[in-house]
Amino acid sequence: MSLKSIRNQINALRRKYAFPLAVLRLRHLSEEYCHDWHTALTNNKPLPEAHPFILKIAKEVLPLNTFMSLHHYLNRHRENKTTPEPRAIAVTLFPNHANSLLFTHLFAGELTPKPKPAPPFGIIPRQRPQRTRAIDPYTRAITRQLRETLRNPRKAGNPQPPLR
């Protein structure tokens, strides 16, 4: 294989996956923006501006011609004092793909969390022991009642002794 054929295959893959990668980048940006919006709304801080967010999408995702509808969408939420949704932002920017399976799959689950930055040199974080199982007080109470019933059936409210 020559370098030119490898370059052609790479370019073909870039063209093939350009739109799904753009939607993933948009999802990441819109979730971060909606989180900032919700935090500002709950703490009675000024809401983030729409224009820098739109410029960031144009730079990192795709230059689109539907940014004005996104601007109107964000202004409606600003007036109503509600939090916008990441999937609705994507549907506003890509209205022709609103019902596609791509949006359904890419907005279905959680994104993988960002890796935590490494601690400064010389500082070793303390390792916490992990719990092996969750303790449910309701199931513990049921098992305690069963034990009481098996030990002393008449005291537990059962007039007949258990069959053995």
Side-chain angles (χ1 to χ4, degrees):
M1 266 183 143
S2 67
L3 288 176
K4 186 173 182 174
S5 64
I6 293 172
R7 171 58 59 196
N8 288 340
Q9 288 180 356
I10 290 172
N11 289 339
L13 287 173
R14 281 185 182 163
R15 285 189 301 271
K16 180 179 179 181
Y17 294 113
F19 184 69
L21 287 174
V23 172
L24 274 176
R25 284 189 212 110
L26 176 65
R27 178 183 176 184
H28 179 69
L29 290 173
S30 61
E31 282 183 351
E32 184 177 317
Y33 184 75
C34 290
H35 176 71
D36 293 344
W37 185 294
H38 182 72
T39 304
L41 194 64
T42 55
N43 295 335
N44 292 327
K45 303 277 184 192
L47 297 174
E49 291 296 321
H51 189 69
F53 174 61
I54 291 172
L55 290 177
K56 194 174 192 181
I57 290 174
K59 180 182 173 190
E60 295 183 20
V61 179
L62 281 175
L64 300 167
N65 58 0
T66 54
F67 287 128
M68 202 61 200
S69 59
L70 176 63
H71 186 71
H72 291 308
Y73 172 76
L74 294 175
N75 280 340
R76 278 194 308 269
H77 280 282
R78 185 179 306 276
E79 291 168 1
N80 296 335
K81 295 193 184 290
T82 57
T83 305
E85 296 180 14
R87 188 172 198 278
I89 290 174
V91 167
T92 305
L93 288 175
F94 300 110
N96 296 337
H97 301 281
N99 296 326
S100 69
L101 287 176
L102 177 70
F103 271 36
T104 306
H105 291 302
L106 291 180
F107 281 90
E110 291 290 320
L111 285 176
T112 56
K114 292 182 183 178
K116 294 181 181 177
F121 183 73
I123 298 175
I124 299 172
R126 189 180 84 177
Q127 296 293 328
R128 295 178 183 242
Q130 300 234 342
R131 292 181 68 175
T132 55
R133 63 185 179 98
I135 298 173
D136 186 11
Y138 180 72
T139 56
R140 293 180 85 191
I142 290 175
T143 54
R144 192 176 307 123
Q145 287 175 353
L146 288 174
R147 262 188 270 133
E148 294 287 329
T149 306
L150 291 176
R151 284 186 195 151
N152 200 349
R154 293 183 188 201
K155 185 177 180 183
N158 192 357
Q160 298 177 352
L163 298 174
R164 291 191 184 209

